[in-house]
Amino acid sequence: MSGLNKFSLAESRELLKKGEISSEDLVRACLEQIEVYDPKIKAFVTVLEDKALRQAKRADNLIKKRGKEVFDEKPLLGIPYAAKDNFSTRGVLTTSSSNMLDNYIPPFDATVIKRLNEAGAILIGKTNMDAFAHGASTEASDFFTTKNPWDTDKVAGGSSGGSAAAVGSDMCVFAVGSETGGSIRGPASWCGVVGFKPSYGRVSRYGVTAMASSTDSPGPITKTVKDAAIVLGIIAGKDPFDATTSPVQVPNYLSGSEEIDVKGLKIGKPRSYFEVGLDEPIRKCVESGLKELGKQGAEIVDVDLLDPKYSISVYTILQRSEVSSNLGRLDGIRYGNTRDHFGKEAKKRIMLGTYTLSSGYYDEYYGKAQKVRTLIIDDFNKVLERVNFICGPTMPCTAMDIGAIDTSPLFGELIDLLNEPSSIAGLPGVTIPCGYVKDLPVGIQFIGRMMGEKTILNVSHRFQQVTNYHKERPNL
């Protein structure tokens, strides 16, 4: 069977259960795709060919020995995935795409990696990113720029650009990334795949290189919403190694999803999200998606949210401050190289963060930003009391040309302004393809209540049941 790498996670699992494909063939198909196309897309920092094939053979033996019942214990058995290179992987180079950590091999797995491995998934490689996740295009990687599989003259987005490009070009079945202010949803939108940012604390941050500890949220990047629900169900939950993880029980995100009825649901359409310099073709695609949900019986309600421009200032101050604190541990003694190996973007963020936390400026900048953050949280809560979830564009434009990062010192914040408010508020959000402009994907996003992952997964799955945008693939 050819083209095994193009199957979704759910499809791959069913074929493995039935014995119609082997894990080894599935892994080899992904490795061949990487060999052929990654030289021009540059999604991977590290490819684990030998290790992945050994694990695939073990998975096949286990399936042969125990049959499909083994998937009750190991629901991802034999399925290859990629991980953003800021997830610690035991015995595997973990660089965060920074020269600072270009020789760092962790002695432990991040909790997300540990749970995926325990579920039987096979790590096929580590993906490129903006160094230390400082960016929105992967152009801030210290190694190379990841290119968009739909147009290699365009960026893939960031900071999880490598993971999104790997999934979008079928180099793996699924991937994991992390988001602080758009770093999952942004690149997923631009690469035409599903990107899910969980509620803050829903998924453990343990073992993920810290950028902004109060907003960092690991999550899945997948080919379908159903796949995202499967992965989230495995990686979510309380972790004794991360005190910020929520004790709220993880529900079965898949239960009832096939019969979901959006009739009667109220969808908030924030006026301000459509008044921020949004490209007109993007507006049309997103409004067309809202109309489709309206046809399914949902009620579209115009709502007023704070202008997302306010989130730019808040996010910039809070993120830089936390970067300054977190990167302080990288001193060349405990981790990696000496500080002269920090890239330009990291140095800029450390300097600004140190300034905003310094004596005499803390209250004026950091303290005030925290107060505005509370206003943003309260604003979302008030709106979400009236509607079931919020819907709007993910990005203000389609994927931009390589070199776009040079247009503004705050490029990432400006391009992520539609994602930063919900990230600051700790809310869950998912982006899914809703159309194309000049052969480039457009994403529509759904933002839910705190720990309301199931609601937005169900409605976005329903959207994919009645549309075919997610089935489109780039012409590589």
Coordinates of all heavy atoms in Angstrom, one line a residue, residues 140-220:
A140 N 13.9 33.0 13.1 CA 14.7 33.3 14.3 C 15.4 32.0 14.8 O 16.1 32.1 15.8 CB 13.9 34.0 15.4
S141 N 15.3 30.9 14.1 CA 16.1 29.8 14.4 C 17.5 30.1 14.2 O 17.9 30.8 13.2 CB 15.7 28.6 13.5 OG 16.6 27.5 13.6
D142 N 18.4 29.5 15.0 CA 19.8 29.7 14.8 C 20.4 28.8 13.8 O 21.6 29.0 13.4 CB 20.6 29.5 16.2 CG 20.4 30.6 17.2 OD1 19.9 31.6 16.8 OD2 20.8 30.4 18.3
F143 N 19.6 27.9 13.2 CA 20.1 26.9 12.3 C 19.7 27.2 10.8 O 20.5 27.3 10.0 CB 19.6 25.5 12.7 CG 20.0 25.2 14.1 CD1 19.2 24.3 14.8 CD2 21.2 25.6 14.7 CE1 19.6 24.0 16.1 CE2 21.5 25.3 16.0 CZ 20.7 24.5 16.7
F144 N 18.4 27.3 10.6 CA 17.9 27.6 9.3 C 16.4 27.9 9.4 O 15.8 27.8 10.4 CB 18.0 26.3 8.4 CG 17.7 25.0 9.0 CD1 16.3 24.6 9.2 CD2 18.6 24.2 9.6 CE1 16.0 23.4 9.8 CE2 18.3 23.0 10.2 CZ 17.0 22.6 10.3
T145 N 15.8 28.4 8.3 CA 14.4 28.8 8.2 C 13.6 27.6 7.6 O 14.0 27.1 6.6 CB 14.2 30.0 7.3 OG1 14.9 31.1 7.9 CG2 12.7 30.3 7.2
T146 N 12.5 27.3 8.3 CA 11.6 26.3 7.8 C 10.7 26.9 6.8 O 10.2 28.0 7.0 CB 10.8 25.6 8.9 OG1 11.6 24.9 9.8 CG2 9.8 24.6 8.3
K147 N 10.5 26.3 5.6 CA 9.7 26.8 4.6 C 8.3 26.2 4.5 O 8.1 25.1 5.0 CB 10.4 26.6 3.2 CG 11.8 27.3 3.2 CD 12.6 27.0 1.9 CE 13.9 27.7 1.9 NZ 14.7 27.4 0.7
N148 N 7.4 27.0 4.0 CA 6.0 26.5 3.9 C 5.8 25.5 2.8 O 6.2 25.7 1.7 CB 5.1 27.7 3.7 CG 3.6 27.4 3.9 OD1 3.1 26.5 3.4 ND2 3.1 28.2 4.8
P149 N 5.2 24.3 3.1 CA 5.1 23.3 2.1 C 4.1 23.7 1.0 O 4.2 23.1 -0.1 CB 4.5 22.1 2.9 CG 4.0 22.7 4.1 CD 4.8 23.9 4.5
W150 N 3.3 24.7 1.2 CA 2.4 25.2 0.1 C 3.1 26.1 -0.8 O 2.7 26.2 -2.0 CB 1.2 25.9 0.7 CG 0.3 24.9 1.5 CD1 0.4 24.6 2.8 CD2 -0.8 24.2 1.0 NE1 -0.6 23.7 3.2 CE2 -1.4 23.5 2.1 CE3 -1.5 24.2 -0.2 CZ2 -2.5 22.6 1.9 CZ3 -2.6 23.4 -0.4 CH2 -3.1 22.6 0.7
D151 N 4.2 26.8 -0.4 CA 4.9 27.7 -1.2 C 6.3 27.9 -0.5 O 6.3 28.6 0.5 CB 4.2 29.0 -1.4 CG 5.0 29.9 -2.3 OD1 6.2 29.7 -2.6 OD2 4.3 30.9 -2.8
T152 N 7.3 27.3 -1.0 CA 8.6 27.4 -0.3 C 9.3 28.8 -0.3 O 10.3 28.9 0.2 CB 9.6 26.3 -0.9 OG1 9.7 26.5 -2.3 CG2 9.1 24.9 -0.6
D153 N 8.6 29.7 -1.0 CA 9.1 31.1 -0.8 C 8.4 31.8 0.4 O 8.8 33.0 0.7 CB 8.7 31.9 -2.1 CG 9.5 31.5 -3.3 OD1 10.7 31.1 -3.1 OD2 9.0 31.6 -4.4
K154 N 7.5 31.1 1.0 CA 6.8 31.6 2.2 C 7.3 31.0 3.5 O 7.9 29.9 3.4 CB 5.3 31.4 2.1 CG 4.7 31.8 0.8 CD 4.6 33.3 0.7 CE 3.8 33.8 -0.6 NZ 3.7 35.3 -0.7
V155 N 7.1 31.6 4.6 CA 7.5 31.0 5.9 C 6.4 30.0 6.3 O 5.2 30.1 5.9 CB 7.7 32.1 7.0 CG1 8.8 33.0 6.6 CG2 6.4 32.9 7.2
A156 N 6.8 29.1 7.2 CA 5.8 28.2 7.7 C 5.1 28.7 9.0 O 4.1 28.2 9.4 CB 6.5 26.9 8.1
G157 N 5.6 29.8 9.5 CA 5.1 30.4 10.7 C 5.9 29.9 11.9 O 6.8 29.1 11.7
G158 N 5.6 30.3 13.1 CA 6.4 29.9 14.2 C 5.7 30.2 15.5 O 4.5 30.7 15.5
S159 N 6.2 29.8 16.6 CA 7.5 29.2 16.6 C 7.6 27.7 16.3 O 8.6 27.1 16.1 CB 8.2 29.5 18.0 OG 7.4 28.9 19.1
S160 N 6.4 27.1 16.3 CA 6.3 25.6 16.0 C 6.2 25.4 14.5 O 5.5 24.4 14.1 CB 5.0 25.0 16.7 OG 5.0 25.3 18.1
G161 N 7.0 26.2 13.7 CA 6.9 26.0 12.3 C 7.3 24.7 11.8 O 6.8 24.1 10.8
G162 N 8.4 24.1 12.4 CA 8.9 22.8 11.9 C 7.8 21.7 12.1 O 7.6 20.9 11.2
S163 N 7.1 21.7 13.2 CA 6.1 20.7 13.5 C 4.9 20.9 12.5 O 4.4 19.9 12.0 CB 5.6 20.8 14.9 OG 6.6 20.4 15.9
A164 N 4.5 22.1 12.3 CA 3.4 22.3 11.4 C 3.7 21.9 9.9 O 2.9 21.3 9.2 CB 2.9 23.8 11.4
A165 N 5.0 22.3 9.5 CA 5.4 22.0 8.2 C 5.6 20.5 8.0 O 5.3 19.9 6.9 CB 6.7 22.7 7.8
A166 N 6.0 19.8 9.0 CA 6.2 18.3 9.0 C 4.8 17.6 8.8 O 4.7 16.7 8.0 CB 6.9 17.8 10.2
V167 N 3.8 18.1 9.5 CA 2.5 17.5 9.4 C 1.9 17.9 8.1 O 1.3 17.0 7.4 CB 1.6 17.9 10.6 CG1 0.2 17.4 10.4 CG2 2.1 17.4 11.9
G168 N 2.0 19.1 7.7 CA 1.4 19.6 6.4 C 2.0 18.9 5.2 O 1.3 18.8 4.2
S169 N 3.2 18.4 5.3 CA 3.9 17.8 4.2 C 3.9 16.3 4.3 O 4.7 15.6 3.6 CB 5.3 18.3 3.9 OG 6.1 18.2 5.1
D170 N 3.2 15.7 5.3 CA 3.0 14.3 5.5 C 4.3 13.6 5.9 O 4.6 12.5 5.5 CB 2.4 13.6 4.3 CG 0.9 14.1 4.1 OD1 0.2 14.1 5.1 OD2 0.6 14.4 3.0
M171 N 5.2 14.3 6.6 CA 6.5 13.7 7.0 C 6.3 12.9 8.3 O 7.2 12.2 8.7 CB 7.6 14.7 7.2 CG 8.0 15.5 5.9 SD 9.3 16.6 6.2 CE 9.2 17.7 4.8
C172 N 5.2 13.1 8.9 CA 4.9 12.3 10.1 C 3.3 12.3 10.2 O 2.6 13.0 9.5 CB 5.4 13.0 11.4 SG 5.0 14.7 11.6
V173 N 2.8 11.4 11.1 CA 1.4 11.3 11.3 C 0.8 12.4 12.1 O -0.2 13.0 11.8 CB 1.0 9.9 11.9 CG1 -0.5 9.8 12.1 CG2 1.5 8.8 10.9
F174 N 1.6 12.8 13.1 CA 1.2 14.0 13.9 C 2.4 14.6 14.6 O 3.5 14.0 14.5 CB 0.1 13.7 15.0 CG 0.6 12.9 16.1 CD1 1.0 13.5 17.3 CD2 0.6 11.5 16.1 CE1 1.5 12.7 18.4 CE2 1.1 10.7 17.1 CZ 1.5 11.3 18.3
A175 N 2.3 15.7 15.2 CA 3.4 16.4 15.9 C 2.9 17.1 17.1 O 1.7 17.3 17.3 CB 4.1 17.4 15.0
V176 N 3.8 17.4 18.0 CA 3.5 18.3 19.1 C 4.3 19.5 19.1 O 5.5 19.6 18.6 CB 3.8 17.5 20.5 CG1 2.7 16.5 20.7 CG2 5.2 16.9 20.5
G177 N 3.7 20.6 19.5 CA 4.3 21.9 19.6 C 4.0 22.6 20.9 O 3.5 21.9 21.8
S178 N 4.4 23.8 21.0 CA 4.1 24.6 22.2 C 3.7 26.0 21.8 O 4.1 26.5 20.8 CB 5.3 24.7 23.2 OG 6.4 25.4 22.6
E179 N 2.7 26.6 22.6 CA 2.3 27.9 22.3 C 2.4 28.8 23.5 O 2.0 28.4 24.6 CB 0.8 27.9 21.8 CG 0.3 29.3 21.5 CD -1.0 29.3 20.7 OE1 -1.2 28.4 19.8 OE2 -1.9 30.1 21.0
T180 N 2.9 30.0 23.3 CA 2.9 31.1 24.3 C 2.0 32.2 23.9 O 1.3 32.8 24.7 CB 4.3 31.6 24.5 OG1 5.2 30.5 24.8 CG2 4.4 32.6 25.6
G181 N 1.9 32.5 22.6 CA 1.0 33.6 22.1 C 0.6 33.4 20.7 O 0.4 34.4 19.9
G182 N 0.5 32.1 20.2 CA 0.1 31.9 18.8 C 1.0 30.8 18.1 O 0.8 30.6 17.0
S183 N 1.9 30.3 18.9 CA 3.0 29.4 18.3 C 2.5 28.1 17.8 O 3.3 27.4 17.1 CB 4.2 29.3 19.2 OG 4.9 30.5 19.3
I184 N 1.3 27.6 18.2 CA 0.7 26.4 17.6 C -0.3 26.8 16.5 O -0.2 26.4 15.4 CB 0.1 25.6 18.7 CG1 1.1 24.9 19.5 CG2 -0.9 24.5 18.0 CD1 0.5 24.0 20.7
R185 N -1.2 27.7 16.9 CA -2.3 28.1 16.0 C -1.8 28.8 14.7 O -2.3 28.6 13.6 CB -3.3 28.9 16.7 CG -4.2 28.1 17.6 CD -5.1 29.0 18.5 NE -4.3 29.7 19.5 CZ -4.9 30.6 20.4 NH1 -6.1 30.9 20.3 NH2 -4.1 31.2 21.3
G186 N -0.8 29.7 14.9 CA -0.3 30.4 13.8 C 0.3 29.6 12.7 O -0.1 29.6 11.5
P187 N 1.4 28.8 12.9 CA 1.9 27.9 11.9 C 1.0 26.9 11.4 O 1.0 26.5 10.2 CB 3.2 27.3 12.6 CG 2.9 27.5 14.0 CD 2.1 28.7 14.2
A188 N 0.1 26.4 12.2 CA -0.9 25.4 11.8 C -1.8 26.0 10.7 O -2.2 25.4 9.7 CB -1.7 24.8 13.0
S189 N -2.2 27.2 11.0 CA -3.1 28.0 10.0 C -2.4 28.1 8.7 O -2.9 27.9 7.6 CB -3.5 29.3 10.6 OG -4.2 30.1 9.7
W190 N -1.1 28.6 8.7 CA -0.4 28.9 7.5 C 0.0 27.6 6.8 O 0.2 27.7 5.6 CB 0.8 29.7 7.9 CG 0.5 31.2 8.0 CD1 -0.7 31.8 7.8 CD2 1.4 32.2 8.4 NE1 -0.6 33.1 8.1 CE2 0.7 33.4 8.4 CE3 2.8 32.2 8.7 CZ2 1.3 34.7 8.7 CZ3 3.4 33.5 9.0 CH2 2.6 34.7 9.0
C191 N 0.1 26.5 7.5 CA 0.5 25.2 6.8 C -0.7 24.3 6.5 O -0.6 23.2 6.0 CB 1.5 24.5 7.7 SG 3.1 25.2 7.7
G192 N -1.9 24.8 6.8 CA -3.1 24.1 6.4 C -3.4 22.8 7.2 O -4.0 21.9 6.7
V193 N -3.1 22.9 8.5 CA -3.4 21.7 9.4 C -4.1 22.2 10.6 O -4.4 23.4 10.8 CB -2.0 21.0 9.8 CG1 -1.4 20.4 8.5 CG2 -1.0 21.9 10.4
V194 N -4.4 21.2 11.5 CA -5.1 21.5 12.8 C -4.1 21.8 13.9 O -3.1 21.0 14.1 CB -6.0 20.3 13.2 CG1 -6.6 20.6 14.5 CG2 -7.0 20.1 12.1
G195 N -4.2 22.9 14.6 CA -3.4 23.2 15.7 C -4.2 23.5 16.9 O -5.1 24.3 16.9
F196 N -3.9 22.8 18.0 CA -4.8 22.9 19.2 C -3.9 23.4 20.4 O -3.0 22.8 20.8 CB -5.4 21.5 19.6 CG -6.5 21.7 20.6 CD1 -7.8 21.8 20.2 CD2 -6.2 21.8 22.0 CE1 -8.8 22.0 21.1 CE2 -7.2 21.9 22.9 CZ -8.5 22.1 22.5
K197 N -4.3 24.5 20.9 CA -3.7 25.1 22.1 C -4.6 24.9 23.3 O -5.7 25.4 23.3 CB -3.5 26.6 21.9 CG -2.8 27.3 23.0 CD -3.8 28.0 24.0 CE -3.0 28.6 25.2 NZ -4.0 28.9 26.3
P198 N -4.2 24.0 24.2 CA -5.1 23.7 25.4 C -5.2 24.8 26.4 O -4.4 25.8 26.3 CB -4.4 22.5 26.0 CG -3.4 22.0 25.0 CD -3.0 23.2 24.2
S199 N -6.1 24.7 27.3 CA -6.2 25.6 28.4 C -4.8 25.6 29.1 O -4.2 24.5 29.2 CB -7.2 25.2 29.4 OG -8.5 25.2 28.8
Y200 N -4.4 26.7 29.7 CA -3.2 26.7 30.5 C -3.3 25.8 31.6 O -4.3 25.8 32.4 CB -2.9 28.2 31.0 CG -1.6 28.2 31.8 CD1 -0.4 28.2 31.2 CD2 -1.7 28.3 33.2 CE1 0.8 28.3 31.9 CE2 -0.5 28.4 34.0 CZ 0.7 28.3 33.3 OH 1.9 28.4 34.1
G201 N -2.4 24.9 31.8 CA -2.4 23.9 32.9 C -3.1 22.6 32.6 O -3.1 21.7 33.4
R202 N -3.7 22.5 31.4 CA -4.3 21.3 30.9 C -3.2 20.2 30.6 O -3.4 19.0 30.8 CB -5.2 21.5 29.8 CG -6.0 20.3 29.2 CD -7.1 19.9 30.0 NE -6.7 19.2 31.3 CZ -7.6 18.7 32.1 NH1 -8.9 18.7 31.9 NH2 -7.2 18.1 33.2
V203 N -2.1 20.7 30.0 CA -1.0 19.8 29.6 C 0.3 20.3 30.3 O 0.6 21.4 30.4 CB -0.8 19.8 28.1 CG1 0.4 19.0 27.7 CG2 -2.1 19.4 27.4
S204 N 1.0 19.3 30.8 CA 2.2 19.6 31.6 C 3.3 20.3 30.8 O 3.5 20.0 29.6 CB 2.8 18.3 32.2 OG 4.0 18.5 32.8
R205 N 3.9 21.3 31.4 CA 5.1 22.0 30.8 C 6.4 21.4 31.2 O 7.5 21.8 30.8 CB 5.1 23.5 31.2 CG 3.9 24.3 30.7 CD 4.0 25.7 31.2 NE 3.8 25.8 32.6 CZ 4.8 26.2 33.5 NH1 6.0 26.5 33.0 NH2 4.5 26.3 34.8
Y206 N 6.4 20.3 32.1 CA 7.6 19.8 32.6 C 8.4 19.2 31.5 O 8.0 18.4 30.6 CB 7.3 18.6 33.6 CG 8.5 18.0 34.1 CD1 9.3 18.6 35.1 CD2 8.9 16.7 33.7 CE1 10.5 18.0 35.6 CE2 10.0 16.1 34.2 CZ 10.8 16.7 35.1 OH 12.0 16.1 35.6
G207 N 9.7 19.7 31.4 CA 10.6 19.2 30.4 C 10.5 20.0 29.1 O 11.2 19.7 28.1
V208 N 9.7 21.0 29.0 CA 9.6 21.9 27.9 C 10.5 23.2 28.2 O 10.2 23.8 29.2 CB 8.2 22.3 27.5 CG1 8.2 23.2 26.3 CG2 7.3 21.1 27.3
T209 N 11.4 23.5 27.3 CA 12.2 24.7 27.6 C 11.4 25.9 27.9 O 10.5 26.3 27.0 CB 13.2 25.0 26.4 OG1 13.9 23.8 26.1 CG2 14.1 26.1 26.7
A210 N 11.5 26.5 29.0 CA 10.6 27.6 29.4 C 10.8 28.8 28.7 O 12.0 29.3 28.5 CB 10.7 27.8 30.9
M211 N 9.8 29.5 28.2 CA 9.9 30.8 27.6 C 9.1 31.7 28.5 O 9.7 32.5 29.3 CB 9.4 30.9 26.2 CG 9.5 32.3 25.6 SD 9.3 32.5 23.9 CE 7.5 32.5 23.7
A212 N 7.8 31.7 28.5 CA 7.0 32.5 29.4 C 6.1 31.6 30.2 O 5.1 31.0 29.7 CB 6.1 33.5 28.6
S213 N 6.6 31.3 31.4 CA 6.0 30.2 32.2 C 4.5 30.4 32.5 O 3.8 29.4 32.8 CB 6.8 30.1 33.5 OG 8.1 29.8 33.3
S214 N 4.0 31.6 32.5 CA 2.6 31.8 32.8 C 1.7 31.6 31.6 O 0.4 31.7 31.8 CB 2.4 33.2 33.4 OG 2.6 34.2 32.4
T215 N 2.2 31.4 30.4 CA 1.4 31.2 29.2 C 1.8 30.0 28.4 O 1.0 29.5 27.6 CB 1.4 32.4 28.3 OG1 2.7 32.8 28.0 CG2 0.6 33.6 28.9
D216 N 3.0 29.4 28.6 CA 3.4 28.3 27.8 C 2.4 27.1 27.9 O 2.0 26.7 29.0 CB 4.8 27.7 28.3 CG 5.9 28.7 28.0 OD1 5.7 29.6 27.1 OD2 7.0 28.5 28.5
S217 N 2.0 26.6 26.7 CA 1.0 25.5 26.7 C 1.4 24.5 25.5 O 1.2 24.9 24.4 CB -0.4 26.1 26.4 OG -0.8 27.0 27.4
P218 N 1.8 23.3 25.9 CA 2.1 22.3 24.9 C 0.8 21.8 24.3 O -0.2 21.8 25.0 CB 2.8 21.2 25.6 CG 3.3 21.8 26.9 CD 2.3 22.9 27.2
G219 N 0.8 21.4 23.0 CA -0.4 20.9 22.4 C -0.1 20.2 21.1 O 1.0 20.2 20.5
P220 N -1.1 19.5 20.5 CA -1.0 18.7 19.3 C -1.1 19.5 18.0 O -1.9 20.5 17.9 CB -2.0 17.7 19.4 CG -3.1 18.3 20.2 CD -2.4 19.3 21.1

